[in-house]
Amino acid sequence: MDIPILFEDGEALVIDKPAGLPIDRPRKGGECLEDHLDALKLGFQRLPVPVHRLDTDTSGCLLLARNPKALKRFNKAFEERRVTKTYLAVLAGHPPGTSGTIRLKLAKISSEAKGWRMIAARKGKEAVSHWELVQKLGAHSVIRFTPETGRTHQLRIHAHKGLGAPLLGDPIYGSEDQRGKGAARTLLHASGLVMPRDGKPDIEARAPLPPDFVALGVVEAEAENGAEAGAGAENG
């Protein structure tokens, strides 16, 4: 598997993580990002280390640190919410408006029948996401999320509970009818990342649209320009 590199310097890499590649080794075994870290050394002695997480299904920008000092600084930037991450998501429905902010507290629950998942709960941890409508695709819509926090499954819950429709292809959140058809994975793509650095240029990366987004009719120009350019576009 060829993993594209979106940004490279002496302390960081940003890769375009393929959909379907988990960061951690699955309990049942199988391929994961660890299998590719040696190839991503690119002449360095140390293996690069993922700084944050992306779900297995999620494609796009993933930051890796190339040394321990950089990892410590990057972790601090994430903790202080100074990192800007943008995601494109295909919603199995339409949002109530064209932009807004979702604030929900999230907690993890588990059951023998359904396994673990996240729910909106008053005693959960705060999760904040800003969103805007980018493009309409018939019964579906393309949303740009800019999360302030990085909770597990945050955007998937915010789509389902905050916007009233789950992400297209999501196997967990929403009923089977709500989740829609025509997607082999949860359609969430980490499209951009900006990591500020003191005394150095920011780390900036943008991941191109993956093939399954393009096949649905998501348009690159609209994905970049936002809701004003894309809200009136109807396809299919």
Side-chain angles (χ1 to χ4, degrees):
M1 178 186 294
D2 181 30
I3 297 182
I5 296 172
L6 305 172
F7 177 95
E8 177 189 355
D9 72 3
E11 62 181 19
L13 296 174
V14 180
I15 63 170
D16 187 356
K17 187 187 85 67
L21 181 67
I23 292 177
D24 299 315
R25 184 80 59 193
R27 290 184 179 180
K28 297 180 179 179
E31 185 180 17
C32 70
L33 180 63
E34 181 182 339
D35 299 319
H36 301 273
L37 293 181
D38 191 66
L40 290 171
K41 289 195 299 185
L42 303 178
F44 279 45
Q45 292 185 346
R46 292 187 178 94
L47 296 175
V49 178
V51 180
H52 57 113
R53 322 303 292 174
L54 292 177
D55 287 349
T56 298
D57 269 3
T58 303
S59 55
C61 295
L62 180 70
L63 175 65
L64 290 82
R66 305 185 81 177
N67 63 68
K69 290 183 178 180
L71 178 61
K72 184 177 180 179
R73 291 197 301 271
F74 297 160
N75 281 333
K76 184 178 180 182
F78 271 99
E79 291 169 3
E80 294 175 348
R81 300 185 184 180
R82 294 191 293 118
V83 183
T84 301
K85 295 185 292 179
T86 54
Y87 293 79
L88 290 175
V90 180
L91 203 69
H94 295 136
T98 57
S99 65
T101 297
I102 302 167
R103 298 177 184 272
L104 289 173
K105 292 185 176 181
L106 305 183
K108 185 176 181 179
I109 63 169
S110 181
S111 67
E112 186 175 350
K114 295 184 178 181
W116 74 268
R117 61 197 184 280
M118 304 299 290
I119 61 169
R122 287 183 296 175
K123 294 184 179 181
K125 294 182 178 180
E126 181 186 45
V128 181
S129 301
H130 308 289
W131 67 274
E132 61 179 325
L133 175 65
V134 173
Q135 184 182 358
K136 292 182 178 179
L137 295 170
H140 309 315
S141 49
V142 182
I143 303 297
R144 178 184 289 105
F145 282 111
T146 307
E148 283 190 19
T149 54
R151 308 301 179 200
T152 301
H153 290 187
Q154 174 173 320
L155 299 182
R156 295 164 69 178
I157 289 286
H158 279 180
H160 181 214
K161 293 296 185 181
L163 299 181
L167 301 186
L168 186 63
D170 193 323
I172 297 177
Y173 301 104
S175 67
E176 185 174 350
D177 290 339
Q178 287 177 315
R179 294 193 295 264
K181 307 291 184 182
R185 56 132 172 164
T186 304
L187 289 182
L188 183 62
H189 177 61
S191 58
L193 182 145
V194 179
M195 165 67 74
R197 294 190 290 186
D198 296 332
K200 290 185 178 182
D202 294 348
I203 296 170
E204 296 189 49
R206 177 175 293 276
L209 290 176
D212 48 3
F213 274 62
V214 175
L216 275 175
V218 181
V219 179
E220 188 82 42
E222 290 175 333
E224 292 177 356
N225 294 335
E228 183 176 351
E234 296 276 0
N235 294 318

